[in-house]
C-alpha cells in the first residue's frame, strides 16, 4: 500500500510536470516507466558493496537506446536514494552498466541483453527491461504495458542472487515470476 501511495504521489507530480500549458495530458508510457525507475530506488535495498565509495552517487542507467529523453532526468532531479544523490547515465557498454544501481534495458537492445546480463553477474545492479521473456534471461523486473497501464513482473530469485532485497510493499503491487516463466504479455 505504501508503494501505491508513494507511486501515486509521484505520478501525479509527473503529470503536473509534463502537463501542457492550459490543460492536462495523460503521461506517456515512458514518463510512467521513468516514475517506476525512480520508485525502485526507494523500495529496493542494495548492499554497501554496490557503490564505488561512501560518497558515490546512486546511478540509474539507461542502456543503449534511450526512450525517456529528458523525462527520467526530470523525475530524479534533486532526489536522493540511500542518502546519495540520484543521477541518470546513458551507458553503451556492459562494463559501464556494471557501475549502475538500476539499469533499464529498452526493447530495442534485445539482441544485446544476454551480453549485458552476463557482464552484470555478481554485481548488485537491479535490471529492468520491457523486453519480452526477460525473466528467463535473468532480468529482475519486467515492465509490461497492458491496455495502457504499466505493470511489473518481478523475478525475486534473480534479485536475491544479486544480493538485492525488494520491499514487500513493492512486491504486493507486482506479479511474481520465475526464470521458468515470464507470464507472457506485451
Amino acid at each position: 500500500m505504501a508503494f501505491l501511495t508513494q507511486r501515486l504521489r509521484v505520478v501525479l507530480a509527473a503529470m503536473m510536470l509534463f502537463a501542457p500549458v492550459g490543460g492536462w495530458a495523460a503521461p506517456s508510457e515512458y514518463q510512467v516507466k521513468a516514475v517506476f525507475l525512480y520508485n525502485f530506488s526507494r523500495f529496493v535495498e542494495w548492499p554497501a558493496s554496490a557503490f564505488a565509495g561512501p560518497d558515490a552517487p546512486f546511478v540509474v542507467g539507461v542502456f543503449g537506446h534511450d526512450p525517456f529523453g529528458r523525462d527520467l532526468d526530470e523525475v530524479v532531479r534533486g532526489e536522493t536514494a540511500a542518502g546519495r544523490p540520484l543521477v541518470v547515465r546513458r551507458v553503451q557498454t556492459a562494463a559501464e552498466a556494471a557501475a549502475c544501481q538500476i539499469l533499464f534495458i529498452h526493447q530495442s537492445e534485445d539482441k544485446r541483453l544476454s551480453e549485458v546480463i552476463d557482464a552484470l553477474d555478481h554485481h548488485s545492479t537491479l535490471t529492468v527491461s520491457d523486453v519480452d521473456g526477460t525473466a528467463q534471461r535473468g532480468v529482475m523486473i519486467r515492465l509490461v504495458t497492458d491496455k495502457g497501464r504499466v505493470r511489473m513482473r518481478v523475478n525475486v530469485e534473480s534479485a536475491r542472487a544479486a544480493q538485492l532485497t525488494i520491499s514487500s510493499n513493492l512486491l504486493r503491487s507486482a506479479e511474481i515470476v520465475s526464470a521458468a516463466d515470464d507470464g507472457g504479455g506485451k
Side-chain angles (χ1 to χ4, degrees), residues 7-182:
R7 185 176 76 187
L8 180 60
R9 221 177 304 142
V10 174
V11 167
L12 290 173
M15 289 174 67
M16 291 172 59
L17 180 68
F18 301 114
V21 175
W24 288 81
S28 72
E29 175 184 350
Y30 282 98
Q31 287 172 330
V32 173
K33 288 180 178 179
V35 172
F36 270 79
L37 292 179
Y38 164 71
N39 276 327
F40 295 151
S41 72
R42 305 175 65 81
F43 291 92
V44 176
E45 291 180 29
W46 280 260
S49 62
F51 300 92
D55 298 326
F58 188 105
V59 179
V60 179
V62 179
F63 184 79
H65 174 73
D66 178 7
F68 300 103
R70 304 260 329 130
D71 295 335
L72 183 56
D73 300 277
E74 294 297 325
V75 168
V76 305
R77 177 176 293 155
E79 298 292 339
T80 61
R84 301 165 185 271
L86 268 165
V87 299
V88 177
R89 291 193 182 138
R90 277 72 182 177
V91 298
Q92 298 298 321
T93 67
E96 293 173 324
C100 301
Q101 280 67 55
I102 298 174
L103 181 69
F104 179 80
I105 307 163
H106 184 258
Q107 51 194 273
S108 65
E109 305 299 328
D110 187 16
K111 291 182 180 176
R112 299 174 60 196
L113 183 65
S114 295
E115 167 196 347
V116 175
I117 297 301
D118 288 348
L120 294 177
D121 191 28
H122 303 296
H123 284 85
S124 296
T125 300
L126 181 74
T127 51
V128 182
S129 183
D130 52 8
V131 175
D132 289 339
T134 51
Q136 295 102 340
R137 297 160 71 187
V139 172
M140 298 165 198
I141 298 178
R142 178 177 167 214
L143 297 176
V144 179
T145 304
D146 182 31
K147 298 177 184 169
R149 298 184 65 186
V150 177
R151 300 177 192 276
M152 298 177 287
R153 291 193 173 133
V154 178
N155 182 337
V156 177
E157 297 163 17
S158 290
R160 283 189 188 132
Q163 301 178 335
L164 301 176
T165 304
I166 299 176
S167 163
S168 60
N169 289 327
L170 187 145
L171 292 176
R172 273 186 236 137
S173 304
E175 178 183 348
I176 308 301
V177 297
S178 68
D181 102 6
D182 194 357

